[in-house]
Amino acid sequence: MTHDPTLKHAHRDALIALSLYSVMGLVFFYPVLWGYLISQTDYLFFVSPWSSVRPDDLLRPANPYIQDQTTEFLAFFMAAKSQIWQGMWPLWNPYILTGTPLLANTQSALLFPLNWGHYMLPAGWGFTVSALLKVILAPWFTYLLARRLLLAHSAALIAGVAYGFSAFHIFWLNHPHSNVTLLIPLCFYATENLVLRQGLRQVALLALVTAVSLLAGHVEIAFYTAIACAVYLMVRAIQEEQMCWRLGWQFGAAYVGSLLLAAVMILPFLEFLSVA
């Protein structure tokens, strides 16, 4: 067996890119190194009943523009954490109205891997860990896609920064929107792989990435991504003269597989929609 020096260099470049983005992420979130949280919980001091105990030196919330992280998502994770540690599956949120679905509320994104820290870390730290990982992984996934499309190392690095640190991604960093946008480059990467190397492994990769995007908490963006990948597949297939039933069936099989993998949340969500 011979070693491919080109592949070895590609792996080295990918590790260099990951290291660079990790340093950039730590610099971007340098207060975390001093023990600060990426949190919006001080917003509660400006609404009743917590406004009555607001510290005198707190004049405005750190982020006055988005409150869902504190008023919704943190509450979802705290309710889920309590049930999980009691050995229960977090299906129901008893704290909203007379009770509402928790897992079936896809925005809770309870099964998204970057949210698992909420169940093991103190309140607030789960957002800090997931946000840091997003600003590292989103550029890196974009870098991998750019290299898969044969862009040079330097061009791929710039593409990663442009996407991972874009205004949309940073603004929605602790919302389910960015859970899905984090994975968009990987969805296109897996689709490109399927065009060039049809086979079970490529189908499995696309199914896995798509399933995770369905668990990420924003099914609308996941749906748009699926449509975009389908269009991309057709364009690339024409370019590569790969228009055949086999490619279409494999792409369809990947999405059926993704629905099966994500069924633990998708099926309760569809039932929720039917009675909402």
Side-chain angles (χ1 to χ4, degrees), residues 16-272:
I16 290 173
L18 179 60
S19 300
L20 176 61
Y21 296 140
S22 298
V23 172
M24 292 180 65
L26 290 172
V27 171
F28 190 75
F29 286 135
Y30 73 91
V32 173
L33 302 177
W34 316 129
Y36 288 91
L37 294 176
I38 301 173
S39 172
Q40 302 163 334
T41 51
D42 59 357
Y43 163 77
L44 294 177
F45 284 117
F46 294 85
V47 296
S48 179
W50 300 279
S51 56
S52 61
V53 293
R54 185 175 69 222
D56 294 336
D57 58 347
L58 185 60
L59 303 180
R60 64 189 298 271
N63 187 338
Y65 305 106
I66 304 179
Q67 294 84 40
D68 289 351
Q69 175 191 329
T70 299
T71 58
E72 288 189 55
F73 308 136
L74 181 58
F76 291 157
F77 291 126
M78 292 179 68
K81 179 180 180 180
S82 174
Q83 294 180 41
I84 289 171
W85 280 94
Q86 294 177 54
M88 301 164 54
W89 193 246
L91 299 176
W92 195 252
N93 185 350
Y95 304 108
I96 298 180
L97 301 176
T98 56
T100 57
L102 183 54
L103 179 66
N105 170 16
T106 56
Q107 279 203 321
S108 61
L110 300 183
L111 302 181
F112 183 63
L114 294 191
N115 287 337
W116 294 350
H118 288 282
Y119 314 131
M120 296 174 283
L121 299 171
W125 276 103
F127 284 121
T128 300
V129 172
S130 65
L132 181 58
L133 288 174
K134 286 179 189 179
V135 298
I136 294 173
L137 292 177
W140 194 53
F141 291 160
T142 306
Y143 170 88
L144 295 178
L145 172 62
R147 291 292 279 165
R148 194 71 185 86
L149 298 177
L150 304 180
L151 271 68
H153 175 64
S154 57
L157 286 174
I158 295 172
V161 174
Y163 184 80
F165 289 88
S166 64
F168 180 92
H169 200 253
I170 297 300
F171 186 81
W172 297 107
L173 197 56
N174 278 328
H175 281 58
H177 306 61
S178 59
N179 294 346
V180 186
T181 57
L182 164 74
L183 296 169
I184 289 176
L186 275 189
C187 290
F188 280 96
Y189 179 96
T191 303
E192 176 70 14
N193 258 5
L194 185 62
V195 172
L196 298 180
R197 303 178 182 176
Q198 297 176 39
L200 181 59
R201 182 177 298 181
Q202 286 68 41
V203 171
L205 175 62
L206 180 57
L208 178 61
V209 175
T210 305
V212 176
S213 73
L214 291 172
L215 299 175
H218 206 284
V219 292
E220 298 94 328
I221 298 179
F223 178 69
Y224 301 149
T225 303
I227 294 176
C229 285
V231 173
Y232 178 83
L233 179 89
M234 290 188 290
V235 172
R236 289 290 292 122
I238 294 172
Q239 291 177 338
E240 297 292 326
E241 299 181 351
Q242 293 283 343
M243 288 300 292
C244 62
W245 284 108
R246 182 168 179 262
L247 177 59
W249 278 113
Q250 289 190 10
F251 183 77
Y255 275 86
V256 171
S258 71
L259 290 173
L260 294 175
L261 289 172
V264 66
M265 191 190 73
I266 294 300
L267 291 180
F269 169 65
L270 294 177
E271 182 181 2
F272 181 33

